[in-house]
């Protein structure tokens, strides 16, 4: 999706892709084939570009850092990316700065006294998250007893964040974009609906309009602290005690896909404007309502054209090979009527063949 808008914002895209089949290849000006943690592939990419940026966080921070040290402009920088790559680092830093995060402990050992102390202070089992490498709910566990927590920590054999399981009233996401000179814009708050740890639906405006100001302030504070350049997406829990930070992503994000149809400048354009050192576009909405539904592969191959046949459904097909459980595209509907936008987006996604189900 960055490739679709790159030329409009005056950017040529050279893409490092793991295979010629990768969706990003179709819109790239030039392609380097290689793994994101292959130093030779990264060197080849860096040689021909003015700036390196990212569309996922499964990157090797040391390699990214070594690019910067050799004078390559990397935006966001490795020091900023670390907040998205390493959940343990993120939780510690945010807690140190007084930002709202769930109570947590970081450990890699089931016998850790700090883990025992933490668990004894909880009334119900916590959530366990691998510090690195998880995404779309993978690497996030909801054990049913304290014994299960210890067994899990033992079996994972990795650094984990163990955190209190909060009573959620809902989930929202705040997108902020920060330019090289520190200028910032923020998109309006959206509500997100999750199922099986994966985002299923995003709604603008958020169901919690009273939280918009607090979320925007929190977003800009976090963007400053991280020193991000480009899009920063912050996933937040809505609890009785207010907003609590779940996680951050330093790239265009699923919760901002609605901006393609719904905002004056879409998140992909703004990310490229930011990382290429240009001034940002306005992040104001241009529609009253937008609903985005992810299309996740089910038992049968999906059919984007069937989604396009639904009136008012904007279908985005990522060109990925179909596989059950894989995010293959999304459908957005916009308009003055919230219910109609929602019904249309879901009708499009169902016709397209998503396996996700609408929740109320
Ligand atoms: P991922 O990094 O794979 O996207 P998240 O950390 O966002 O995983 O967790 C996935 C989902 O699990 C969240 O969207 C939320 O619904 C639920 N969840 C995660 N942490 C907690 C928590 N501390 N309390 C309650 N629910 C949680």
């Amino acid at each position: 999706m960055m490739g679709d808008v790159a030329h409009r914002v005056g950017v040529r895209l050279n893409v490092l892709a793991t295979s010629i089949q990768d969706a990003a290849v179709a819109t790239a000006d030039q392609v380097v084939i290689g793994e994101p943690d292959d130093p030779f592939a990264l060197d080849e990419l860096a040689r021909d570009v003015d700036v390196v940026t990212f569309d996922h966080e499964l990157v090797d921070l040391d390699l990214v850092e070594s690019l910067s040290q050799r004078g390559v402009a990397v935006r966001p920088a490795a020091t900023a990316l670390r907040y998205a790559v390493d959940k343990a680092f993120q939780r510690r830093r945010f807690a140190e700065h007084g930002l709202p995060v769930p109570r947590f402990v970081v450990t890699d050992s089931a016998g850790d006294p700090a883990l025992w102390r933490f668990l004894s202070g909880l009334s119900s089992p916590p959530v366990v998250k691998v510090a690195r490498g998880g995404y779309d709910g993978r690497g996030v566990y909801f054990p049913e007893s304290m014994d299960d927590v210890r067994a899990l920590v033992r079996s994972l054999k990795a650094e984990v964040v163990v955190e209190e399981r909060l009573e959620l009233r809902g989930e929202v996401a705040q997108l902020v974009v920060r330019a090289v000179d520190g200028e910032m814009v923020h998109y309006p708050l959206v509500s997100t609906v999750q199922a099986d740890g994966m985002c299923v639906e995003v709604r603008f405006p958020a169901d919690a309009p009273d939280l918009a100001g607090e979320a925007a302030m929190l977003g800009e504070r976090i963007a400053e602290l991280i020193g991000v350049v480009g899009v920063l997406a912050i996933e937040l829990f809505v609890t009785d005690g207010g907003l609590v930070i779940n996680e951050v992503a330093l790239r265009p994000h699923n919760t901002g896909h609605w901006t393609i149809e719904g905002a004056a400048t879409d998140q992909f354009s703004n990310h490229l404007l930011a990382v290429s050192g240009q001034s940002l576009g306005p992040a104001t909405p241009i529609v009253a309502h937008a609903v985005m539904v992810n299309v996740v592969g089910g038992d049968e191959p999906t059919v984007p054209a069937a989604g396009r046949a639904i009136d008012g459904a904007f279908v985005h097909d990522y060109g990925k090979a179909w596989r059950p459980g894989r995010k293959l595209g999304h459908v957005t509907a916009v308009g003055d009527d919230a219910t109609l936008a929602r019904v249309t987006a879901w009708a499009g996604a169902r016709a397209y063949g998503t396996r996700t189900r609408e929740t109320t």
Side-chain angles (χ1 to χ4, degrees):
M1 286 178 269
M2 270 201 259
D4 288 338
V5 299
H7 290 181
R8 259 185 275 152
V9 295
V11 170
R12 281 173 51 83
L13 271 192
N14 292 10
V15 170
L16 172 60
T18 46
S19 125
I20 202 80
Q21 261 90 44
D22 278 8
V25 168
T27 55
D29 292 295
Q30 220 171 296
V31 181
V32 176
I33 299 295
E35 297 295 327
D37 56 359
D38 172 357
F40 299 104
L42 274 178
D43 273 350
E44 194 182 336
L45 177 77
R47 241 195 328 266
D48 284 339
V49 300
D50 298 313
V51 180
V52 174
T53 191
F54 307 87
D55 75 351
H56 64 71
E57 51 262 330
L58 302 174
V59 294
D60 182 322
L61 292 178
D62 292 335
L63 283 179
V64 172
E65 178 57 34
S66 75
L67 286 181
S68 310
Q69 277 169 7
R70 280 182 287 136
V72 180
V74 180
R75 297 177 185 147
T79 46
L81 272 175
R82 187 156 179 209
Y83 286 85
V85 172
D86 183 345
K87 286 183 180 170
F89 174 78
Q90 183 253 88
R91 285 283 187 260
R92 284 188 179 122
R93 288 281 294 168
F94 285 173
E96 276 164 27
H97 285 266
L99 290 163
V101 291
R103 280 191 292 152
F104 71 98
V105 68
V106 175
T107 187
D108 58 4
S109 154
D112 186 344
L115 175 64
W116 286 76
R117 269 198 306 279
F118 181 75
L119 294 181
S120 65
L122 295 181
S123 51
S124 56
V127 186
V128 178
K129 303 179 175 185
V130 294
R132 289 171 178 244
Y135 66 100
D136 280 349
R138 275 165 265 200
V140 176
Y141 304 89
F142 299 91
E144 282 173 9
S145 71
M146 299 302 186
D147 283 341
D148 288 353
V149 175
R150 286 185 276 262
L152 188 61
V153 172
R154 199 170 299 119
S155 69
L156 287 170
K157 293 190 178 69
E159 189 172 58
V160 293
V161 176
V162 180
E163 68 185 29
E164 66 179 316
R165 184 164 182 175
L166 299 169
E167 195 72 54
L168 306 187
R169 280 177 36 196
E171 296 186 55
V172 291
Q174 177 67 60
L175 245 66
V176 178
V177 195
R178 188 165 174 273
V180 172
D181 65 3
E183 175 203 359
M184 282 194 264
V185 296
H186 62 262
Y187 285 96
L189 190 66
V190 292
S191 282
T192 69
V193 182
Q194 322 280 324
D196 302 325
M198 207 190 247
C199 174
V200 180
E201 177 186 336
V202 174
R203 289 199 284 265
F204 161 75
D207 304 335
D210 48 321
L211 295 174
E214 185 188 340
M217 259 163 51
L218 202 53
E220 297 203 356
R221 210 175 131 201
I222 295 171
E224 282 289 354
L225 170 68
I226 295 181
V228 65
V229 175
V231 169
L232 168 70
I234 305 160
E235 295 181 61
L236 298 154
F237 298 134
V238 183
T239 72
D240 286 336
L243 291 172
V244 178
I245 301 164
N246 177 21
E247 60 175 351
V248 296
L250 281 74
R251 54 175 166 78
H253 192 251
N254 196 187
T255 58
H257 289 354
W258 69 277
T259 61
I260 297 173
E261 287 83 15
T265 316
D266 66 89
Q267 63 162 349
F268 302 97
S269 298
N270 254 337
H271 184 77
L272 291 174
L273 287 168
V275 300
S276 62
Q278 305 182 62
S279 28
L280 307 176
T284 38
I286 53 167
V287 296
H289 296 274
V291 176
M292 186 238 43
V293 176
N294 279 324
V295 174
V296 180
D299 295 333
E300 304 278 325
T302 43
V303 186
R308 289 200 177 96
I310 303 293
D311 233 13
F314 294 95
V315 168
H316 298 261
D317 168 19
Y318 304 160
K320 294 185 189 171
W322 162 77
R323 201 169 60 216
R326 191 175 200 196
K327 256 186 219 166
L328 299 167
H330 73 262
V331 178
T332 300
V334 297
D336 291 336
D337 182 330
T339 308
L340 182 60
R342 186 146 190 257
V343 167
T344 306
W346 272 102
R350 264 196 307 274
Y352 187 151
T354 190
R355 78 171 188 189
T356 56
R357 292 279 159 266
E358 193 172 345
T359 50
T360 48

